[in-house]
Amino acid sequence: MLTVFKNATLLNGKDEQPVPDSVLAIENNQIIFAGSNQFWQDKPEQHSIDLSGKWIIPGLIDCHIHMDLHGYSDTFQENLVDEKLRTLRAAKEMSDTLRAGFTTVRNVGTVNYIDFAVKTGIEAGYFIGPRISTAGKIISMTCSGTEYFDGMYRIADGVDECRKAAREQLKEGADLLKLMATGAVMNPGGVPGAPQLNVDEIRAVVEEGEKLGKHTAAHAHGTQGIINAVTAGVHTIEHGTMATDEVLEIMASHKTYLIPTLSLHDLFEAHSDQIPRFMVEKSRAMQEPYIEIVKKAVRMGVPVAMGTDAGTNYNYHGKNAAEIIYLVKKEIMSPLQAITAATKTASEAIRMDHEIGTLEVGKLADFIVLNNNPLDDIQILSKTDEIESVYKNGKVVS
């Protein structure tokens, strides 16, 4: 069936100026035209939908979530929730995420393969949810703090064990691999600046993924850990909170993507009386310089894509647009740049840009219809009454 959406203002996701009086034509689940009405010839068989006064943008992409986490004040509480209940809860929260306009998410670490179950359920049509690219368990060396997230880590020491750990995730159906290049903020004993897996261990994981055309993401806060990960060939750096100018230059030269997760640190501060003290203290030490580091990354040409760390403390699934708003609020990006970071750049970061991320011929028909202009007020992306409808694969879902 040929469906033609007419007369809206179109943002194609390519960091280009909006197209007024546009046409977006989709057939089955693919885009066959996206552009100005003056270049479109109506077809006798088309079903037309008038969107005068509305805005169309690509479906949003969150490059960094944890679908099995629920936003508890202390993430250790997750260990007390029955795993079957966590799976059902994740399914519901993925539906919330899709209704909020996020048609694709990348899940970068989940307990005991809950992520694969939820992804399978969405693809089977049991419930609605975003397109999910998922990593399975996070590959980590033996270290303090991994027990805080029981079942989320695959502990591996040495090249052979890291290679085996990567193969295990791929066997389960992982779309990417995730590893720990440094310590963490959100577990006791974790030292964010301390490097963890060595270059040769990281490279073994990267190589196993690349055999199947799958990329590797590295959790990395500290300078040396980021350098180790980039040198070993990872595709994305998650967080990057302590990156120096030298590190950013290396990332830019390697075209390594940065996935900052900025707004959660403000959530830590807002709920500092409820969140474990060790998390708040580590977060406070890095937040102010972190904002400046991401601004500098943008200026230096590091590709920066949007990620939220949704599921962490008070960082709820379905509220993912808060990170886009934060990028604008802190003057890290313009509204257009921030939307591009959550569409085109995000699709490149998760290696799905051949299918999604922009509204152009041949891509899947993932898009959002908004009641007003997000370039004038970026906060409308977080308001349910401003989202007219959400389309995934050419079908309306909200």
Side-chain angles (χ1 to χ4, degrees), residues 39-59:
F39 301 116
W40 170 258
Q41 181 66 48
D42 281 339
K43 309 289 192 295
E45 72 276 15
Q46 75 185 40
H47 170 61
S48 297
I49 298 175
D50 183 11
L51 294 178
S52 297
K54 309 293 185 182
W55 283 67
I56 297 176
I57 67 171

Side-chain angles (χ1 to χ4, degrees), residues 67 106-108 110 115-116 119 132-136 173-176:
M67 70 167 65
R106 185 178 66 158
N107 187 71
V108 287
T110 290
D115 46 348
F116 296 127
K119 178 180 178 178
I132 297 173
S133 176
T134 195
D175 303 295
L176 72 144

Side-chain angles (χ1 to χ4, degrees), residues 28-172:
N28 299 321
N29 67 339
Q30 285 193 320
I31 297 169
I32 64 167
F33 181 87
S36 174
N37 185 44
Q38 63 179 313
F39 301 116
W40 170 258
Q41 181 66 48
D42 281 339
K43 309 289 192 295
E45 72 276 15
Q46 75 185 40
H47 170 61
S48 297
I49 298 175
D50 183 11
L51 294 178
S52 297
K54 309 293 185 182
W55 283 67
I56 297 176
I57 67 171
L60 300 170
I61 302 166
D62 190 335
C63 295
H64 189 123
I65 73 160
H66 297 279
M67 70 167 65
D68 62 316
L69 302 183
H70 185 58
Y72 285 142
S73 59
D74 184 350
T75 43
F76 186 77
Q77 294 172 282
E78 294 289 359
N79 297 317
L80 310 179
V81 182
D82 177 79
E83 197 169 290
K84 294 183 289 296
L85 181 59
R86 290 176 76 170
T87 304
L88 293 171
R89 189 185 65 192
K92 186 265 181 189
E93 291 177 344
M94 288 302 96
S95 296
D96 293 342
T97 299
L98 178 59
R99 292 189 183 98
F102 284 80
T103 53
T104 302
V105 296
R106 185 178 66 158
N107 187 71
V108 287
T110 290
V111 166
N112 296 334
Y113 304 122
I114 286 173
D115 46 348
F116 296 127
V118 173
K119 178 180 178 178
T120 299
I122 291 170
E123 291 176 348
Y126 300 152
F127 47 89
I128 66 168
R131 185 177 297 100
I132 297 173
S133 176
T134 195
K137 293 187 178 184
I138 303 169
I139 300 169
S140 169
M141 74 177 200
T142 300
C143 63
S144 174
T146 52
E147 67 281 355
Y148 210 71
F149 298 93
D150 187 36
M152 183 177 285
Y153 294 97
R154 167 53 164 95
I155 304 301
D157 297 302
V159 171
D160 290 344
E161 193 64 18
C162 286
R163 194 177 299 280
K164 182 177 181 181
R167 290 173 177 175
E168 287 172 358
Q169 307 320 302
L170 294 167
K171 178 183 177 181
E172 292 290 336

Side-chain angles (χ1 to χ4, degrees), residues 227-297:
I227 292 173
N228 290 348
V230 174
T231 301
V234 302
H235 188 60
T236 66
I237 295 294
E238 314 300 307
H239 314 301
T241 50
M242 301 175 183
T244 61
D245 289 1
E246 176 194 5
V247 167
L248 294 176
E249 288 174 1
I250 293 170
M251 289 182 65
S253 66
H254 283 77
K255 295 183 172 56
T256 306
Y257 287 78
L258 175 64
I259 317 295
T261 52
L262 289 150
S263 60
L264 68 90
H265 293 274
D266 277 17
L267 293 173
F268 280 20
E269 196 62 41
H271 300 279
S272 60
D273 59 335
Q274 302 293 322
I275 292 173
R277 177 56 45 187
F278 72 85
M279 293 188 193
V280 175
E281 289 175 351
K282 286 191 276 186
S283 174
R284 282 177 177 168
M286 60 178 61
Q287 178 62 347
E288 188 173 341
Y290 191 16
I291 293 170
E292 295 307 314
I293 286 166
V294 180
K295 287 182 179 179
K296 189 173 291 187

Side-chain angles (χ1 to χ4, degrees), residues 210-387:
E210 292 294 351
K211 288 177 182 178
L212 296 176
K214 299 182 180 185
H215 69 279
T216 298
H219 166 107
H221 290 290
T223 299
Q224 189 57 53
I226 298 173
I227 292 173
N228 290 348
V230 174
T231 301
V234 302
H235 188 60
T236 66
I237 295 294
E238 314 300 307
H239 314 301
T241 50
M242 301 175 183
T244 61
D245 289 1
E246 176 194 5
V247 167
L248 294 176
E249 288 174 1
I250 293 170
M251 289 182 65
S253 66
H254 283 77
K255 295 183 172 56
T256 306
Y257 287 78
L258 175 64
I259 317 295
T261 52
L262 289 150
S263 60
L264 68 90
H265 293 274
D266 277 17
L267 293 173
F268 280 20
E269 196 62 41
H271 300 279
S272 60
D273 59 335
Q274 302 293 322
I275 292 173
R277 177 56 45 187
F278 72 85
M279 293 188 193
V280 175
E281 289 175 351
K282 286 191 276 186
S283 174
R284 282 177 177 168
M286 60 178 61
Q287 178 62 347
E288 188 173 341
Y290 191 16
I291 293 170
E292 295 307 314
I293 286 166
V294 180
K295 287 182 179 179
K296 189 173 291 187
V298 173
R299 291 197 301 268
M300 294 175 65
V302 177
V304 177
M306 199 284 290
T308 63
D309 227 346
T312 53
N313 316 58
Y314 295 100
N315 189 5
Y316 300 114
H317 298 286
K319 305 295 184 181
N320 313 59
E323 183 76 12
I324 303 173
I325 294 166
Y326 195 88
L327 291 169
V328 177
K329 176 184 175 183
K330 295 297 182 179
E331 299 181 338
I332 297 167
M333 295 180 179
S334 70
L336 182 57
Q337 288 174 320
I339 291 172
T340 302
T343 54
K344 179 180 183 290
T345 310
S347 71
E348 295 166 349
I350 65 174
R351 287 190 179 176
M352 295 184 72
D353 51 302
H354 59 293
E355 293 183 304
I356 59 172
T358 56
L359 300 177
E360 52 188 323
V361 175
K363 299 247 179 126
L364 295 175
D366 287 7
F367 60 96
I368 311 169
V369 180
L370 300 170
N371 289 325
N372 287 291
N373 180 359
L375 302 184
D376 284 346
D377 181 10
I378 196 68
Q379 295 195 60
I380 72 170
L381 295 179
S382 67
K383 298 176 180 178
T384 55
D385 60 347
E386 290 283 6
I387 299 175

